[in-house]
């Protein structure tokens, strides 16, 4: 089964400098589009499994049965654990209430802490708490020297950040514990739909909308709590995960140093060190490399496998002329190299699948449906990329990692990119009957256009019908969306001029 983790606290990270948010591409309302994609995926999977839908609401008996089969229902971390309408559908929805204390959680301190004191974490806490006062005084809540367009905070941002991290850790606990025991739940794969994203944040440097590195903290949590000593991180966001790569480099550097010291006769640690492979496919012309800074371009182009204990592969997105060229040349060639190099890393570092886990940094901003202002260099992928790559990752994890996959949402800014990417991604996580490639007709441009109507809240019922397209599953998607989507927050705040983001609407 696949568990989809949602976290309402993420809606509390809001832009409050002024009421006009038209230039703010990273905002919590984007999560509604992801939930539309999740709802549409479940609706189509119901059809695939021959489950009769019930548009009137949730079948209490089916829900009770599904919850009874899930040990995670008893978790004190979650206020509500819900499930897809029918237990026959291998997708579960977890409305998480998990959170953690960034100043005292070992995994957060492992990634963002400091030996001399948690300077960055304490600073982040202070900036969030004082943000409204700063804005009221006509100042920016983001310190000088950091991007004023890409970063923002409000007094409840910390709730969103800690809730997002807590939900990632909860998903990891669910997946790992299920894979190692006679667990009632058979959840081996999870999709964690949280914001703000994390892969641009380094050890103590927020950037690109990111304040903490969700996936890196998740890897540390898996290592510290569950003995996961080898981690594969696959990043499919349009933008290079410079923060994740920097953190991975430091982790591997420390593991390599300990290895050399042990070989020289120093006593070894009681527990094995964490080793990480980071593989990314991204646009080298986009953020953070768009301004041509040599060190960022070089970092986004590294390919190193073994020397100095490093395991990193970077692949650059390329334009394509046809679907055939994309799949036969680009996908089978350079893009699939991420998995081949991940396999080499695991073969080189050991043979125990029980100490291994796969993470996906699932950004959907390379989508064919992303804003042209965000994807300015025509380095796009068809929506089905998120389906096929996810399927390939799950097959990879079955062989090398006991089936354990945790996917964490990263970028994606247009509603169409997010809903279509999330739909294809979730469907790719499910092993269903029939030809998997036939499901790629589920997210045609016409269907994505229809689903995008659900991103706008309207009074009354939204009609999605047309004479050309059957609408039963679309109407069912609306019912599911109403079930899982909480009330979106309203924007408020005082006026203060802040430069627009460097990642959107800017000419070269």
């Amino acid at each position: 089964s696949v568990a989809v983790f949602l976290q309402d606290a993420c809606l509390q990270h809001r832009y409050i400098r002024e009421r006009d948010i038209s230039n703010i591409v990273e905002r919590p309302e984007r999560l509604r589009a992801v939930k539309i994609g999740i709802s549409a995926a479940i609706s189509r999977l119901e059809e695939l499994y021959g489950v009769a839908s019930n548009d009137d609401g949730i079948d209490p008996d089916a829900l009770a049965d599904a919850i009874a089969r899930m040990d995670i229902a008893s978790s004190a971390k979650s206020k509500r654990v819900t499930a897809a309408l029918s237990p026959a559908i291998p997708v579960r929805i977890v409305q998480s209430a998990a959170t953690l204390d960034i100043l005292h959680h070992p995994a957060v301190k492992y990634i963002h802490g400091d030996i001399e004191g948690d300077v960055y974490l304490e600073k982040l806490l202070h900036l969030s708490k004082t943000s409204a006062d700063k804005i009221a005084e006509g100042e920016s809540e983001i310190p000088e020297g950091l991007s004023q367009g890409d970063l923002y905070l409000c007094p409840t941002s910390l709730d969103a950040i800690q809730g997002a991290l807590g939900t990632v850790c909860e998903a990891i606990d669910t997946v790992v514990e299920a894979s190692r025991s006679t667990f009632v739940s058979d959840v081996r794969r999870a999709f964690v739909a949280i914001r703000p994203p994390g892969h641009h944040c380094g050890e103590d440097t927020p950037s690109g909308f990111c304040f903490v590195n969700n996936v890196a903290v998740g890897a540390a949590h898996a290592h510290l709590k569950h003995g996961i000593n080898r981690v594969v991180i696959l990043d499919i966001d349009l933008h290079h995960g410079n923060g994740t790569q920097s953190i991975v480099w430091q982790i591997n550097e420390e593991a390599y140093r300990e290895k050399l010291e042990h070989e020289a006769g120093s006593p070894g640690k009681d527990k094995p060190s964490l080793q990480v492979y980071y593989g990314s496919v991204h646009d080298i012309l986009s953020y953070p490399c768009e301004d041509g800074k040599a060190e960022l371009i070089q970092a986004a182009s590294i390919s190193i496998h073994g020397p100095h204990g490093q395991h990193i592969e970077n692949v650059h997105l390329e334009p394509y002329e046809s679907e055939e060229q994309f799949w036969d040349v680009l996908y089978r060639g350079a893009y699939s190299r991420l998995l081949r190099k991940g396999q080499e890393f695991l073969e080189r570092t050991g043979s125990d699948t029980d100490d291994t886990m796969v993470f996906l940094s699932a950004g959907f901003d390379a989508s064919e449906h992303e804003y042209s202002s965000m994807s300015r260099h025509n380095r796009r992928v068809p929506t089905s990329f998120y389906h096929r790559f996810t399927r390939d990752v799950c097959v990879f994890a079955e062989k090398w990692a006991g089936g354990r996959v945790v996917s964490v949402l990263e970028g994606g800014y247009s509603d169409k990119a997010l809903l279509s990417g999330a739909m294809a991604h979730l469907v790719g996580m499910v092993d269903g009957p029939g030809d998997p490639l036939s499901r790629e007709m589920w997210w045609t441009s016409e269907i994505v256009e229809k689903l995008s109507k659900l991103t706008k809240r309207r009074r009354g019922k939204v009609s999605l019908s047309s004479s050309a397209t059957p609408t039963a599953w679309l109407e069912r998607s609306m019912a599911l969306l109403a079930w899982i989507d909480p009330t979106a927050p309203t924007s408020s705040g005082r006026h203060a001029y802040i430069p627009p983001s460097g990642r959107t609407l800017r000419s070269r």
Side-chain angles (χ1 to χ4, degrees):
S1 293
V2 179
V4 178
F5 286 79
L6 306 175
Q7 172 57 269
D8 290 356
C10 292
L11 300 173
Q12 301 306 311
H13 177 59
R14 306 192 306 272
Y15 182 83
I16 63 170
R17 294 178 198 163
E18 54 181 299
R19 296 182 185 277
D20 181 9
I21 60 172
S22 59
N23 285 328
I24 308 303
V25 295
E26 172 53 38
R27 50 184 189 259
E29 291 85 352
R30 300 300 188 206
L31 288 172
R32 179 173 173 85
V34 175
K35 293 171 183 176
I36 292 171
I38 292 168
S39 301
I42 293 174
S43 177
R44 294 312 300 253
L45 288 168
E46 285 180 338
E47 288 187 341
L48 185 68
Y49 281 82
V51 176
S53 65
N54 175 7
D55 290 342
D56 295 329
I58 306 305
D59 180 345
D61 294 333
L63 177 59
D65 177 68
I67 292 177
R69 297 188 308 112
M70 300 174 68
D71 274 4
I72 53 176
S74 63
S75 171
K77 295 180 179 179
S78 294
K79 294 178 181 177
R80 295 171 288 144
V81 178
T82 55
L85 183 60
S86 170
I89 304 299
V91 178
R92 305 292 175 257
I93 304 294
V94 180
Q95 295 277 13
S96 177
T99 189
L100 52 75
D101 182 347
I102 60 171
L103 294 182
H104 298 97
H105 193 275
V108 183
K109 292 168 69 68
Y110 187 96
I111 299 299
H112 296 294
D114 189 274
I115 296 175
E116 303 299 328
D118 297 331
V119 177
Y120 174 66
L121 296 173
E122 290 176 353
K123 184 177 181 180
L124 178 59
L125 180 67
H126 175 74
L127 291 175
S128 177
K129 287 183 175 180
T130 61
S131 57
D133 293 336
K134 283 282 190 180
I135 292 170
E137 295 169 359
E139 302 177 19
S140 172
E141 78 283 14
I142 300 300
E144 186 178 351
L146 297 176
S147 172
Q148 300 295 315
D150 290 348
L151 299 174
Y152 64 83
L153 287 167
C154 72
T156 51
S157 290
L158 193 67
D159 296 330
I161 290 168
Q162 294 187 145
L165 290 174
T167 304
V168 170
C169 292
E170 183 180 18
I172 292 165
D173 294 343
T174 300
V175 167
V176 175
E177 290 168 6
S179 69
R180 288 179 171 174
S181 66
T182 56
F183 209 59
V184 177
S185 168
D186 59 350
V187 172
R188 305 293 177 90
R189 305 168 186 172
F191 175 35
V192 188
I194 55 171
R195 298 295 269 265
H199 72 152
H200 293 305
C201 183
E203 179 186 5
D204 58 0
T205 310
S207 67
F209 312 141
C210 307
F211 289 93
V212 294
N213 198 300
N214 302 310
V215 167
V217 170
H221 178 72
H223 172 62
L224 296 173
K225 183 173 180 178
H226 299 289
I228 297 295
N229 303 317
R230 299 185 302 161
V231 165
V232 170
I233 298 175
L234 301 163
D235 191 333
I236 55 175
D237 193 278
L238 173 69
H239 309 97
H240 180 237
N242 55 313
T244 304
Q245 180 171 303
S246 174
I247 290 170
V248 166
W249 190 281
Q250 294 175 65
I251 291 173
N252 288 338
E253 186 176 49
E254 178 68 12
Y256 187 63
R257 181 188 63 79
E258 292 173 351
K259 175 178 177 290
L260 294 179
E261 290 178 351
H262 179 65
E263 291 174 349
S266 297
K269 290 170 42 177
D270 294 337
K271 297 181 180 179
S273 300
L274 174 62
Q275 297 180 84
V276 185
Y277 163 78
Y278 176 74
S280 173
V281 56
H282 52 267
D283 176 18
I284 191 64
L285 300 177
S286 288
Y287 183 92
C289 303
E290 192 166 36
D291 291 332
K293 293 182 179 179
E295 65 274 15
L296 293 174
I297 295 172
Q298 291 165 4
S301 306
I302 288 174
S303 177
I304 182 171
H305 302 281
H308 303 285
Q310 299 300 336
H311 309 277
I312 293 171
E313 180 69 15
N314 284 289
V315 174
H316 299 160
L317 288 167
E318 298 290 344
Y320 59 95
E321 301 296 329
S322 66
E323 292 272 326
E324 292 75 14
Q325 181 193 8
F326 180 86
W327 296 114
D328 295 342
V329 179
L330 296 178
Y331 187 80
R332 289 184 181 179
Y335 301 169
S336 293
R337 191 164 70 238
L338 295 186
L339 288 170
R340 293 194 293 271
K341 292 299 183 180
Q343 177 178 329
E344 290 178 12
F345 159 71
L346 296 176
E347 290 174 334
R348 183 181 295 111
T349 55
S351 59
D352 185 3
T353 61
D354 193 52
D355 76 342
T356 307
M357 192 163 183
V358 178
F359 287 85
L360 256 170
S361 275
F364 301 127
D365 41 4
S367 167
E368 60 189 318
H369 298 294
E370 186 53 90
Y371 293 133
S372 58
S373 58
M374 178 62 70
S375 182
R376 293 186 283 274
H377 309 290
N378 196 31
R379 266 56 174 182
R380 300 175 181 267
V381 298
T383 302
S384 292
F385 168 81
Y386 301 112
H387 176 241
R388 296 195 200 183
F389 189 79
T390 303
R391 289 184 63 242
D392 289 345
V393 168
C394 290
V395 171
F396 175 89
E398 289 295 331
K399 181 176 181 180
W400 297 99
R404 292 179 288 271
V405 177
V406 172
S407 172
V408 181
L409 181 64
E410 295 284 0
Y413 304 96
S414 84
D415 289 335
K416 292 180 182 179
L418 283 166
L419 72 87
S420 61
M423 183 182 183
H425 181 52
L426 180 54
V427 171
M429 283 187 147
V430 176
D431 298 323
D435 178 12
L437 297 186
S438 66
R439 299 167 208 166
E440 295 180 359
M441 296 302 295
W442 292 356
W443 41 80
T444 63
S445 295
E446 178 189 10
I447 291 172
V448 171
E449 182 66 34
K450 289 178 177 293
L451 287 170
S452 69
K453 295 179 180 179
L454 297 179
T455 61
K456 307 297 186 294
R457 293 186 178 275
R458 298 179 175 90
R459 292 183 179 181
K461 192 172 183 178
V462 179
S463 174
L464 300 175
S465 61
S466 74
S467 58
T469 306
T471 60
W473 76 269
L474 288 168
E475 297 293 332
R476 173 68 180 138
S477 299
M478 292 176 62
L480 287 166
L481 178 63
W483 170 40
I484 68 174
D485 185 45
T487 302
T490 56
S491 299
S492 62
R494 295 173 174 82
H495 291 273
Y497 174 74
I498 299 296
S501 167
R503 293 179 59 186
T504 59
L505 307 177
R506 179 171 64 84
S507 298
R508 284 287 289 167

